[in-house]
Amino acid sequence: MSRDFADRLSAIAPSATLAMAAKAAKLRSEGHKVYPFSVGEPDFDTPAHIRDAAKAALDRGATRYTPVTGTPELKAAICTSTEKYRGHKVEPAQIVVSSGAKHALFNLALALYQPGDEVLIPSPFWVSYPEQVRMVGATPVIVPTREQDGFRLRPEVLQDALSPRTKAIILCTPSNPTGAAYSKKDLLPLLEVLRKTDVYIIVDEIYADLVYDGFVHASLPSFASEFRDRTIIVDGVSKTFAMTGWRIGWTITSNSLAKAIDIVQSQSTTNAAAISQAAAVAALNGPRAELEVMRRHFSERRVVMVEGLRSLPGVSCRMPEGAFYAFPDVRGLFGKKHRGVELVTDHDVANWLLDEVHVASVAGEPFGAPGYLRFSYACAECDIREALDNMRNAIARLD
Ligand code: PMP
Ligand code: GLU
């Protein structure tokens, strides 16, 4: 790093998910078929009625600045869909629309954390959570979960991690990278612990619509109204509506925190793209039949991916409740050798799979879970089956 660059960068890791996606893209540009399990984004196109709404908005003149915190139409659509699909009433003044949920989280970091603050992050975690906390000079405190507990935080572990400096906790349900989700019953004991504190509870619900086998997503404000003022919901259209490139996400907070985030955003990015906001209105207000088709595809691919991974020697894998990630334990492959070189870490396994059979996954270590790999199964089922066969053959060739 150049000494001219800000000190804060020396503590920040680049996004491992995006780095692996870039490596895979390079191989692809060299003419190789690459199995795309690294970046977490739906392979489906944004539904046609959403694209049509964006074209119409463009022709109507949605080409100018909008209010910083989002158009009244989008905020109204967020209020309606939050009440209908998450079960709680919110007001437009609680919402700030940003350029994706990642940006919404970063705004939050700028508005809420400062040096000396600790932010609890259960591991495995999405790679950007700790880095964003570090970027604003606060301290991420990683709180471990165990696979045998379904990767869900135990209340006694939460209790032990709390300190007078704890400012917030970031929960992600369903989780990136594990796909694990908290039911209402799982959340209540954690709330019991948090009740005695004034810690902000940030819940990233970006995968809430992608749950399987009848799992019911429990949005915290729908049943824990006494925590309302310090609950922060992060949501967006990227995953549910296959709209990753449109860059629309939002926070739902107390009115006063929304005002603080408004200030941050007014001095940085102004508003999320006007056309994207119009598209998001159509997404939230429009028909959901196509979403259900996508969700069913994810559900089927999940079973193919997880059962396939489980059948590989040296690999075990939990069946996730939601999102589109499988998170296998690959420690059974450690100690095996590929052309005389021993596989020692999850990075070794991920790199070997990419080099040997062009299977792009992400090592677990950047998610706080060494020994695991993350596979996004948001891609064609035939690719999943083919990749699993190739992985089986590659494992058989190890010494
Ligand atoms: N939170 C989680 C858990 C995610 O996986 C993602 C996807 N990158 C985001 C937030 C950010 O989503 P967006 O594309 O809306 O920035
Ligand atoms: N959330 C996705 C992932 O984890 C997209 C990439 C990113 O923003 O990190 O792969």
Side-chain angles (χ1 to χ4, degrees):
M1 194 71 65
S2 163
R3 68 182 180 83
D4 293 336
F5 298 164
D7 287 346
R8 78 173 66 86
L9 271 182
S10 60
I12 312 297
S15 165
T17 51
L18 299 178
M20 198 59 171
K23 251 180 160 174
K26 181 164 180 291
L27 265 181
R28 201 171 293 119
S29 72
E30 289 163 6
H32 300 287
K33 156 129 193 161
V34 181
Y35 297 95
F37 309 130
S38 57
V39 75
E41 76 174 333
D43 55 327
F44 301 107
D45 288 331
T46 303
H49 69 275
I50 301 174
R51 287 183 273 132
D52 289 342
K55 290 176 202 163
L58 188 55
D59 291 339
R60 256 197 339 266
T63 55
R64 298 172 191 278
Y65 294 132
T66 75
V68 168
T69 57
T71 61
E73 295 76 18
L74 180 51
K75 288 184 167 193
I78 292 169
C79 290
T80 308
S81 73
T82 301
E83 184 168 1
K84 191 159 172 198
Y85 297 102
R86 304 283 187 265
H88 51 99
K89 259 189 151 52
V90 300
E91 292 166 16
Q94 295 176 261
I95 297 167
V96 178
V97 175
S98 303
S99 304
K102 190 187 275 186
H103 180 218
L105 281 156
F106 192 54
N107 277 342
L108 200 54
L110 286 165
L112 209 53
Y113 319 143
Q114 57 195 355
D117 286 346
E118 295 177 350
V119 180
L120 304 187
I121 302 176
S123 68
F125 47 76
W126 181 43
V127 292
S128 296
Y129 296 152
E131 303 312 311
Q132 292 192 342
V133 173
R134 279 193 197 99
M135 258 195 270
V136 298
T139 307
V141 174
I142 306 305
V143 197
T145 68
R146 305 184 306 184
E147 183 164 4
Q148 66 258 41
D149 297 325
F151 289 119
R152 286 181 277 263
L153 182 59
R154 292 207 318 247
E156 60 275 25
V157 179
L158 169 61
Q159 179 69 60
D160 285 350
L162 288 166
S163 89
R165 294 216 276 250
T166 310
K167 185 68 171 275
I169 176 169
I170 307 180
L171 296 174
C172 183
T173 178
S175 154
N176 178 2
T178 63
Y182 289 85
S183 66
K184 178 174 168 185
K185 203 164 130 253
D186 299 321
L187 288 168
L188 289 173
L190 299 179
L191 293 180
E192 238 1 88
V193 175
L194 293 168
R195 173 166 288 125
K196 296 162 231 146
T197 71
D198 59 358
V199 165
Y200 284 93
I201 309 167
I202 301 167
V203 193
D204 184 341
E205 299 196 336
I206 191 124
Y207 296 101
D209 297 301
L210 300 175
V211 286
Y212 314 112
D213 292 343
F215 184 88
V216 179
H217 173 77
S219 190
L220 214 138
S222 70
F223 63 90
S225 50
E226 72 175 278
F227 292 88
R228 264 192 180 204
D229 279 352
R230 53 182 171 121
T231 301
I232 297 163
I233 299 294
V234 177
D235 208 338
V237 294
S238 290
K239 317 289 172 170
T240 308
F241 299 94
M243 292 179 69
T244 47
W246 298 80
R247 313 306 303 129
I248 294 289
W250 56 84
T251 43
I252 301 174
T253 65
S254 65
N255 293 15
S256 58
L257 183 52
K259 278 196 192 112
I261 299 172
D262 179 351
I263 294 171
V264 169
Q265 187 161 291
S266 75
Q267 294 292 20
S268 54
T269 58
T270 312
N271 57 273
I275 300 166
S276 295
Q277 291 192 58
V281 172
L284 293 172
N285 290 343
R288 296 215 167 199
E290 210 170 320
L291 307 189
E292 180 53 17
V293 173
M294 295 196 265
R295 196 192 61 82
R296 264 197 241 128
H297 278 296
F298 289 138
S299 178
E300 285 161 17
R301 294 162 178 184
R302 174 188 61 132
V303 174
V304 173
M305 178 63 101
V306 171
E307 288 185 348
L309 288 166
R310 282 176 177 171
S311 75
L312 300 177
V315 179
S316 65
C317 190
R318 179 179 179 273
M319 186 62 80
E321 289 84 15
F324 37 60
Y325 304 105
F327 203 60
D329 181 342
V330 296
R331 283 173 292 185
L333 296 174
F334 289 2
K336 302 217 178 265
K337 287 188 179 149
H338 169 61
R339 295 196 191 120
V341 181
E342 193 175 330
L343 300 176
V344 182
T345 67
D346 44 294
H347 287 280
D348 294 342
V349 177
N351 287 327
W352 158 71
L353 284 175
L354 186 64
D355 295 341
E356 186 67 10
V357 281
H358 298 158
V359 168
S361 60
V362 187
E365 182 272 326
F367 300 98
Y372 288 77
L373 293 185
R374 190 192 78 172
F375 287 78
S376 162
Y377 53 81
C379 59
E381 192 174 312
C382 56
D383 278 349
I384 299 174
R385 291 185 190 280
E386 221 172 272
L388 286 163
D389 283 345
N390 296 348
M391 285 162 67
R392 186 182 319 285
N393 294 334
I395 292 173
R397 291 195 294 274
L398 291 173
D399 302 319

